Amino acid sequence: MVQVSADSQTSTRIAVVGATGYAGGEILRLLLDHPGVKSGELSIGSLMAGSSAGTPVSDAMPHLIALADRTIEALDLEKLAEHDVVFLGLPHGHSAEIAKQLPEGMVIIDCAADFRLRQQSDWDTFYGGDYAGAWPYGIPEMPGHREQIAQSARVAVPGCFPTGATLALWPAVQAGLIEPKVSVVSITGVSGGGKKASVGLLGAETMGSLKAYNTAGKHRHNPEIVQNLTEVGGEGVQLSFTPVLAPLPRGILTTATAPLAAGVDEATLRAAYEQAYADEAFVHLLAPGVQPQTQAVLGSNACHVQVEVDQRAGTVLLTSAIDNLCKGTAGAAVQCMNLCLGIEETAGLSIAGVAP
């Protein structure tokens, strides 16, 4: 574990690679409000990217006023190695090559998929290319993960869909309250597709329309969700996952249904979630009858969860809402950095959303 010095003259230096992407920009937004950055214990160093290298931050990310005098730099491994913490906000397939050229003790938080999957067969099927192995997985709220992250200098930040689905499902799976045959539908905003030129993400294509995509087991987050549920519940997890693109900038609303295990009622289900999340700062079990909604979590690192039993259908309905760019990516990244550095896990992260 890396210790942060209280001496502002020896601050922990942080670099962001892929700084102008949605994940990189959100990481920077959160860091600017981090008490460690404000005190000088942490400092924001190089901001690197590919095609936007040479662009002033004031042009690339005008909302980050405190960094307006900075310029985006091209990737420079020597310069990157001078930092203590590196966030990698790149498309999959790039992080592994960079990480292996950086010092062993450096804290690296990867927001791509390169180190998320523990089975090479899953990587080969859904991504392809060289398999780089797996790092500690960045959902601290999963059993045992907080301790693994705190003892590591390398963390793989989960995908946004697996975050919402896992937080909605794992307590029920672990406690055996549902049969492990799960159907998940996640409605997401367009920022989940990244900041790239794509006809399918144009306003004219998305406004006033809903569209399912990568259906019937084809989405790359499929094996990640199964991996998480298998970890807490054992083998035999069956998943049907359907992502739906909605005309929203941010947010993911996930609904998960599964057959109810014998003898389980809503009180038992709710008690399991109350116990699982009693001490979690960022996961909030809503009062009975209150439904999660994306606007309540926008800009925050919170996940709102609701649990219900449909006795007529013999099923459980588990619902969650997250901000895909915050708890789903950048907020999780900062949360994991805090753990790696041995500082307050919640530092720089809000549970208050922006509404309306």
Side-chain angles (χ1 to χ4, degrees), residues 94-177:
H94 297 274
S95 300
E97 184 62 31
I98 293 173
K100 72 181 182 183
Q101 299 180 69
L102 294 175
E104 193 170 315
M106 172 185 286
V107 173
I108 304 177
I109 312 293
D110 182 30
C111 296
D114 293 37
F115 300 100
R116 293 175 188 163
L117 297 177
R118 290 192 285 273
Q119 299 294 328
Q120 182 172 348
S121 58
D122 287 337
W123 176 266
D124 292 343
T125 300
F126 286 88
Y127 292 92
D130 293 336
Y131 175 64
W135 287 354
Y137 188 77
I139 297 184
E141 294 84 1
M142 287 185 68
H145 283 232
R146 179 170 283 111
E147 294 75 18
Q148 293 172 14
I149 294 165
Q151 295 170 11
S152 177
R154 303 284 193 272
V155 180
V157 175
C160 51
F161 286 129
T163 297
T166 300
L167 292 174
L169 280 159
W170 81 255
V173 172
Q174 184 187 55
L177 302 180

Side-chain angles (χ1 to χ4, degrees), residues 51-108:
S51 60
S52 56
T55 305
V57 171
S58 57
D59 291 347
M61 297 175 286
H63 62 298
L64 302 180
I65 296 172
L67 300 173
D69 61 343
R70 301 281 200 94
T71 299
I72 303 300
E73 307 170 40
L75 178 64
D76 183 330
L77 289 170
E78 275 192 36
K79 193 168 186 180
L80 206 56
E82 297 171 359
H83 295 76
D84 304 293
V85 178
V86 171
F87 289 98
L88 298 175
L90 301 167
H92 82 271
H94 297 274
S95 300
E97 184 62 31
I98 293 173
K100 72 181 182 183
Q101 299 180 69
L102 294 175
E104 193 170 315
M106 172 185 286
V107 173
I108 304 177

Side-chain angles (χ1 to χ4, degrees), residues 99-259:
K100 72 181 182 183
Q101 299 180 69
L102 294 175
E104 193 170 315
M106 172 185 286
V107 173
I108 304 177
I109 312 293
D110 182 30
C111 296
D114 293 37
F115 300 100
R116 293 175 188 163
L117 297 177
R118 290 192 285 273
Q119 299 294 328
Q120 182 172 348
S121 58
D122 287 337
W123 176 266
D124 292 343
T125 300
F126 286 88
Y127 292 92
D130 293 336
Y131 175 64
W135 287 354
Y137 188 77
I139 297 184
E141 294 84 1
M142 287 185 68
H145 283 232
R146 179 170 283 111
E147 294 75 18
Q148 293 172 14
I149 294 165
Q151 295 170 11
S152 177
R154 303 284 193 272
V155 180
V157 175
C160 51
F161 286 129
T163 297
T166 300
L167 292 174
L169 280 159
W170 81 255
V173 172
Q174 184 187 55
L177 302 180
I178 59 175
E179 301 296 333
K181 187 173 182 178
V182 183
S183 177
V184 174
V185 177
S186 294
I187 302 171
T188 182
V190 295
S191 60
K195 189 188 286 186
K196 61 179 181 289
S198 172
V199 171
L201 298 178
L202 291 172
E205 302 292 329
T206 57
M207 288 189 296
S209 180
L210 294 171
K211 178 185 177 183
Y213 65 101
N214 288 340
T215 53
K218 293 188 286 291
H219 197 282
R220 285 171 165 171
H221 287 172
N222 243 72
E224 200 176 330
I225 299 171
V226 172
Q227 173 178 281
N228 295 348
L229 299 183
T230 299
E231 178 183 325
V232 298
E235 298 296 328
V237 173
Q238 297 179 49
L239 172 70
S240 173
F241 173 51
T242 304
V244 178
L245 185 66
L248 308 167
R250 294 173 177 244
I252 293 178
L253 181 71
T254 293
T255 60
T257 56

Side-chain angles (χ1 to χ4, degrees), residues 4-5 7-16 28 31-32 34-47 67 70 82-87 337 341:
V4 178
S5 170
D7 180 0
S8 62
Q9 299 304 309
T10 57
S11 64
T12 298
R13 297 194 69 215
I14 302 170
V16 179
L28 290 169
L31 288 176
L32 288 171
H34 195 291
V37 172
K38 291 182 176 180
S39 71
E41 294 177 353
L42 308 177
S43 61
I44 299 174
S46 294
L47 312 179
L67 300 173
R70 301 281 200 94
E82 297 171 359
H83 295 76
D84 304 293
V85 178
V86 171
F87 289 98
M337 178 200 75
L341 296 179

